[in-house]
Amino acid sequence: MNIDASVLRQAAQAAAGGQQYPAATLYLVATPIGNLADMSLRAIHALSLVDALACEDTRQGGGLLRHLGLHKPLIALHQHNEREASATVLARLAAGERVAYASDAGTPAISDPGAVLVQEVVAAGYRVLPLPGPSSAVTALSVAGDTAARGFAFAGFLPTKAGERRTALQAVLAIEGQSQVVFEAPHRIVELIALLAELAPTRRVTVCRELTKQFESIHTAQAAALPAWLAADAQRQRGEFVLVLHALAPQAAAGDELPAEVLRVLALLAAELPLKQAVALAAQISGAPRNRLYDAGLALKRGGDE
């Protein structure tokens, strides 16, 4: 980024300098997931004030500080040493220092280290202040357009072993009413997409690749169509992935009637298309169970014949 770091710090001071930044406090700093321009002015100002930065990778943390023209002591705190490194942070807090924690990208403790550190700091009686910002899960949800969802669940990375992965994905797919957010690495994306196409061919999936970066792509389709889409361009298999599995509509009880609007859509489609195709489209549009739609379609056709 061709901008003087001092300009960023001055803007951060002007925007956030009037707020309180208490001593003996841990600051959880959300960092960009790909685009450095997404760093908040409040986060920049907090980093300029802290006495040390704990980070998942000191190379990443050090690079971020250099981008901002800052120099701070670095503490390596990652998934393999989080409890031990937390003791170092606690010692600094005990001395009245401000300490920030940043994972490699996004919001700490969301599929990243940080939860153990927060637990240790709170248990020791110190304050933890979150500085909100980028999150790949929320970013992906915002562009999925899942109108059937009543909230969302975060599944993160699925197991790498084939059997465990299948079982975990089946459990995720069985949850009704919520969008499900899944992370995946480039060397496993083909396998995951193939498994989705097998287990839930009609489920709508939004595939987000390289969010906020130069070659960002976002594509929504039924799972059955995704293997061919992925194979059509080798570039689509590169980068970091966030998948949003659109909500599975709750199964209606056997005696429940389908909503009038769903029946109207089905009737319009059945008037122009073969019943099987009309049912498939109505299920995709409404989220209603296919077997219920098929029974209703048969009833419509019987009524028309009579």
Side-chain angles (χ1 to χ4, degrees):
M1 182 181 297
N2 295 321
I3 186 169
D4 188 338
S6 64
V7 174
L8 285 175
R9 297 196 305 274
Q10 290 168 12
Q13 166 69 32
Q19 301 174 24
Q20 296 296 313
Y21 298 88
T25 298
L26 173 68
Y27 294 84
L28 291 183
V29 180
T31 56
I33 58 176
N35 192 321
L36 282 172
D38 291 334
M39 189 75 180
S40 77
L41 292 176
R42 184 169 172 235
I44 293 171
H45 185 63
L47 287 177
S48 73
L49 294 178
V50 298
D51 299 287
L53 172 64
C55 43
E56 184 178 5
D57 186 331
T58 55
R59 293 168 298 182
Q60 292 282 104
L64 178 62
L65 290 179
R66 286 192 296 275
H67 168 70
L68 300 174
L70 298 172
H71 302 277
K72 306 283 179 176
L74 299 175
I75 304 167
L77 190 150
H78 45 75
Q79 63 177 340
H80 303 297
N81 78 336
E82 188 167 359
R83 199 165 297 279
E84 296 82 357
S86 294
T88 303
V89 173
L90 287 172
R92 285 183 171 271
L93 295 178
E97 294 185 359
R98 301 179 182 92
V99 180
Y101 179 70
S103 53
D104 284 352
T107 303
I110 308 298
S111 195
D112 279 340
V116 171
L117 173 62
V118 170
Q119 183 183 63
E120 295 285 326
V121 169
V122 171
Y126 298 105
R127 191 173 179 183
V128 180
L129 288 182
L131 278 70
S135 166
S136 57
V138 174
T139 301
L141 284 164
S142 72
V143 293
D146 188 359
T147 57
R150 302 188 307 274
F152 68 92
F154 177 68
F157 286 98
L158 299 179
T160 57
K161 293 183 178 179
E164 295 176 1
R165 167 180 287 244
R166 176 180 288 269
T167 300
L169 184 56
Q170 286 173 326
V172 167
L173 290 168
I175 298 172
E176 296 181 349
Q178 294 181 321
S179 303
Q180 302 291 319
V181 181
V182 176
F183 288 171
E184 193 50 276
H187 60 281
R188 287 195 298 268
I189 189 63
V190 172
E191 176 188 347
L192 176 59
I193 290 297
L195 191 56
L196 275 169
E198 175 194 340
L199 297 177
T202 61
R203 182 70 65 90
R204 286 178 67 78
V205 179
T206 298
V207 180
C208 301
R209 184 180 69 87
E210 294 290 86
L211 283 171
T212 78
K213 300 176 185 177
Q214 182 178 359
F215 298 108
E216 172 186 81
S217 67
I218 299 164
H219 180 72
T220 300
Q222 285 192 328
L226 289 176
W229 173 82
L230 200 63
D233 185 348
Q235 289 291 344
R236 294 173 182 169
Q237 301 175 28
R238 297 175 181 170
E240 298 299 321
F241 291 85
V242 183
L243 277 64
V244 178
L245 315 184
H246 288 223
L248 176 67
Q251 296 292 317
D256 290 349
E257 294 293 331
L258 288 169
E261 182 62 22
V262 174
L263 291 173
R264 188 182 75 83
V265 170
L266 177 61
L268 290 172
L269 292 170
E272 303 294 334
L273 300 169
L275 181 57
K276 186 175 180 180
Q277 188 176 354
V279 166
L281 286 173
Q284 181 178 340
I285 293 168
S286 69
R290 283 195 176 206
N291 59 338
R292 300 282 319 289
L293 288 167
Y294 193 79
D295 291 343
L298 288 175
L300 285 171
K301 284 198 172 292
R302 283 196 299 269
D305 292 341
E306 293 172 0

